[in-house]
Amino acid sequence: MKLTTPFTILNRKFNELDLIRDAMKRRILATERLHEDYRKMYRNHQLAY
């Protein structure tokens, strides 16, 4: 049986926050990558004319 102390609860909260923060960073990176792809496509499209 695990002891539930305030420290274990705090530790769990910090781990959750780290996971959330990491997920947010990944999402931001994914959107930036998408914007980059759109910029490249637009640039190439303009050169095609």
Side-chain angles (χ1 to χ4, degrees):
M1 185 176 140
K2 272 186 158 179
L3 280 174
T4 305
T5 63
F7 291 111
T8 56
I9 294 169
L10 270 177
N11 197 19
R12 197 177 307 140
K13 291 267 188 239
F14 283 129
N15 285 341
E16 287 173 12
L17 284 173
D18 283 343
L19 285 172
I20 292 168
R21 202 174 294 126
D22 191 45
M24 290 289 285
K25 279 184 191 171
R26 286 175 198 270
R27 199 169 82 204
I28 289 168
L29 284 175
T31 53
E32 283 177 8
R33 210 174 302 128
L34 192 69
H35 287 307
E36 277 294 312
D37 290 343
Y38 273 123
R39 278 190 215 110
K40 282 179 192 168
M41 283 166 46
Y42 185 70
R43 231 178 280 133
N44 291 340
H45 190 69
Q46 277 192 326
L47 292 174
Y49 281 117

